[in-house]
Amino acid sequence: MVKTKQILIVVHLCSFLVVLYSLSMIPPLLMALLYKEKSVFSFFYTLVIVGALGGLGWFSSRQSRVQLRTQDGFLIIVLFWFLFSLISAMPLWLDDSLNISLVDAVFEGVSGITTTGASVLNDVSGVPKSVLYYRSQLNFIGGLGVIVLAVAVLPLLGIGGAKLYQSEMPGPFKEERLTPRLADTSKNLWLIYLALGLLCTVAFRVAGMPWFDALCHGLSTVSLGGFSTRNESLGYFDSSAVEMVGGIFSILAAVNFTLYFVAVGRRSFKPLYRNPELRFFLLILSIVVAIVVVELYRADMYGAKDAFVHGFFLTSSMMTDNGLATADYAQMPSHTIMLLLAASFFGGCVGSTCGGIKALRFLIMYKQSRHEVNQLVHPNAIFTIKVGNAPIHDRVLRSVWSFFFLYVLFSCFFIWALNLMGYDIMTSFATVAACINNMGLGFGETAAGFGTLSDSAKWLMCAAMLFGRLEIYPILILCSRAFWRF
């Protein structure tokens, strides 16, 4: 049986996080007031209702100082992400100007907060500006995780945040910290994140975007979220400079944020170019970019210059699971689209805002596979698997291979389930790749948007997005008998 005291502390912390997240309704509310839009009421109602319910739960479950256990961390993360998704959908559902169903509102909310960027809205250009900003803000908040932000203030509640941090941050090395104090770590991550968002916004403006579009695309690009203010995404602007900015910042956002912190602290680029994962990621990215550029040129879609710009941008966007696109990406050769969809499973670096399996895991699996080949050739030799100068322990190897197996297994399950619902295999594969990798660009029936999916398929893809964002394990842990025996 779960102890009552532990239940109360879980409720208390979840309620606090709900109150914290309700405050995110204030910026779009102010935006709606600025543009005199009726959406102001949906944001206001969400702020009041969610804030009141969270505050009630917070005050009614106050406890003395309690240290979170590993089980509590996983439970809070999963519970809050479900609440997170529902709260995100609430202003969209309440907004009469959107006129969308509950399942569409939930899909859009989950897509935003998981930084997927898959949209069910047919005409985003006609959506109120406050809602367009809100969608980009969802991407931005979800990018690094509101949990990491909350950890910075958890000491005020008398609750240690280490277990939450380890449950939320992606990758096999969850115990790494930038600074000795966890709160300082979270603050530094968010400062770096905000600085990158500001730089991206200014870069889009310099490239020719209006300020509003630059702000929204800046937020969605550094979060690798992919929501756009235009139906044609970045293709609307028909600008090589805009696409180059989108591609460059997609890559910058796919770098491990701890490397930025160390590089700034040491005032040197050495931590960046000496990092084996980053070098591996850039190598694979360069190979895929080269192939895509050549294939676009061979297909006579573009001249040499445009083939490079579009190929670089689209590869950077899809491989890092950003999901911003050119207007005609669906007309590209199908084998090129398949390569880009497969590349979305690769993702970027751990500790970044990207989705997918991530480069470090592929690097470890590559080294392990090469190790096995060498071991077969020299059975009596002793080999050590290293990433850089750091040896990889068996515990990490088991974790990486187990995660890879589960990721492929669940991807196959979601593809099979969509195919069972009547969608062709290409549509099923592309839709699942877009959702579980938090990439957002479909193909086949979902090339123009995800509004064509049936309600049951939308619910299924909401699950896929959450599985991808939480990296599967936290959800599976809650479904295990061992968890509930604590």
Side-chain angles (χ1 to χ4, degrees):
M1 293 292 291
V2 181
K3 294 181 179 180
T4 303
K5 195 170 186 179
Q6 291 302 132
I7 293 176
L8 287 175
I9 200 62
V10 168
V11 172
H12 183 62
L13 190 47
C14 279
S15 299
F16 165 73
L17 294 172
V18 166
V19 171
L20 185 67
Y21 185 53
S22 70
L23 300 178
S24 69
M25 300 299 154
I26 295 176
L29 189 154
L30 295 176
M31 188 78 72
L33 286 173
L34 176 65
Y35 289 103
K36 299 179 181 179
E37 295 170 344
K38 292 183 179 179
S39 302
V40 66
F41 296 107
S42 61
F43 293 118
F44 177 74
Y45 293 148
T46 303
L47 171 64
V48 172
I49 294 171
V50 173
L53 291 175
L56 181 64
W58 186 16
F59 283 108
S60 63
S61 57
R62 282 177 294 180
Q63 294 289 301
S64 58
R65 299 175 66 91
V66 176
Q67 178 64 39
L68 285 176
R69 300 174 300 176
T70 300
Q71 294 95 324
D72 301 325
F74 285 117
L75 180 59
I76 290 168
I77 290 297
V78 175
L79 281 178
F80 184 66
W81 271 93
F82 278 104
L83 292 172
F84 211 8
S85 302
L86 293 176
I87 296 169
S88 300
M90 192 171 174
L92 302 173
W93 186 47
L94 293 175
D95 196 330
D96 293 335
S97 65
L98 298 180
N99 191 29
I100 59 176
S101 64
L102 176 62
V103 61
D104 283 348
V106 171
F107 185 95
E108 197 80 7
V110 173
S111 179
I113 210 64
T114 58
T115 70
T116 301
S119 182
V120 295
L121 301 178
N122 296 323
D123 182 19
V124 297
S125 298
V127 169
K129 286 193 172 183
S130 57
V131 176
L132 292 177
Y133 167 78
Y134 173 67
R135 293 163 77 243
S136 296
Q137 181 183 278
L138 283 179
N139 280 169
F140 192 72
I141 293 175
L144 197 57
V146 74
I147 305 301
V148 179
L149 175 63
V151 167
V153 294
L154 285 180
L156 300 177
L157 302 180
I159 301 170
K163 299 304 179 183
L164 277 180
Y165 179 81
Q166 291 175 17
S167 302
E168 170 65 11
M169 290 303 289
F173 303 131
K174 296 177 183 287
E175 291 79 12
E176 291 185 354
R177 301 182 186 179
L178 308 185
T179 57
R181 293 185 61 231
L182 194 57
D184 290 338
T185 295
S186 300
K187 291 172 186 176
N188 287 321
L189 285 172
W190 271 95
L191 285 174
I192 295 168
Y193 191 50
L194 288 169
L196 194 60
L198 178 62
L199 285 174
C200 187
T201 298
V202 172
F204 273 129
R205 180 67 186 95
V206 172
M209 274 190 186
W211 272 115
F212 178 79
D213 293 289
L215 173 62
C216 292
H217 285 96
L219 295 179
S220 60
T221 297
V222 299
S223 63
L224 299 177
F227 271 151
S228 177
T229 58
R230 308 290 178 175
N231 294 326
E232 304 88 353
S233 193
L234 289 194
Y236 169 86
F237 301 96
D238 192 23
S239 167
S240 296
V242 167
E243 289 188 31
M244 290 301 293
V245 169
I248 291 170
F249 275 91
S250 293
I251 296 171
L252 292 176
V255 176
N256 189 328
F257 277 60
T258 63
L259 293 180
Y260 290 132
F261 177 82
V262 175
V264 171
R266 296 181 183 176
R267 298 181 182 179
S268 170
F269 289 106
K270 288 183 180 179
L272 292 169
Y273 64 74
R274 286 182 176 177
N275 182 262
E277 182 195 19
L278 181 56
R279 293 203 307 267
F280 182 65
F281 164 67
L282 293 177
L283 172 64
I284 301 302
L285 176 68
S286 301
I287 293 172
V288 179
V289 167
I291 294 173
V292 172
V293 169
V294 169
E295 289 304 304
L296 291 180
Y297 182 74
R298 281 201 325 121
D300 291 328
M301 287 191 68
Y302 309 105
K305 174 180 173 293
D306 288 339
F308 172 77
V309 172
H310 294 318
F312 170 74
F313 163 65
L314 198 59
T315 302
S316 300
S317 179
M318 292 185 70
M319 187 166 165
T320 62
D321 300 311
N322 186 351
L324 291 172
T326 56
D328 57 351
Y329 87 94
Q331 278 71 53
M332 292 180 179
S334 58
H335 64 276
T336 304
I337 294 293
M338 282 294 293
L339 172 64
L340 291 173
L341 290 172
S344 71
F345 284 88
F346 185 87
C349 302
V350 300
S352 70
T353 59
C354 70
I357 296 173
K358 303 199 171 58
L360 181 59
R361 291 192 177 100
F362 276 102
L363 177 59
I364 290 173
M365 289 189 292
Y366 163 72
K367 288 182 175 288
Q368 168 70 359
S369 300
R370 192 175 67 177
H371 164 81
E372 289 300 320
V373 171
N374 293 334
Q375 196 73 66
L376 289 171
V377 175
H378 305 286
N380 297 323
I382 298 176
F383 297 99
T384 301
I385 302 171
K386 292 184 177 181
V387 173
N389 296 321
I392 303 300
H393 301 294
D394 288 343
R395 173 68 184 88
V396 174
L397 287 174
R398 292 196 303 270
S399 173
V400 168
W401 280 105
S402 175
F403 177 80
F404 179 77
F405 166 74
L406 289 172
Y407 204 94
V408 172
L409 179 66
F410 275 97
S411 297
C412 291
F413 167 76
F414 286 125
I415 293 170
W416 171 79
L418 278 184
N419 193 234
L420 192 65
M421 293 177 183
Y423 298 96
D424 63 85
I425 193 65
M426 185 63 188
T427 297
S428 301
F429 172 73
T431 302
V432 171
C435 292
I436 198 167
N437 296 328
N438 305 131
M439 182 264 296
L441 288 177
F443 194 59
E445 292 184 37
T446 54
F450 292 74
T452 57
L453 294 175
S454 65
D455 286 354
S456 56
K458 289 172 185 172
W459 287 118
L460 184 68
M461 290 301 98
C462 285
M465 287 186 274
L466 287 170
F467 267 82
R469 180 64 181 88
L470 292 175
E471 296 203 331
I472 299 175
Y473 274 115
I475 298 176
L476 289 187
I477 287 171
L478 260 64
C479 296
S480 68
R481 290 183 179 180
F483 175 85
W484 298 104
R485 288 173 183 164
F486 73 87

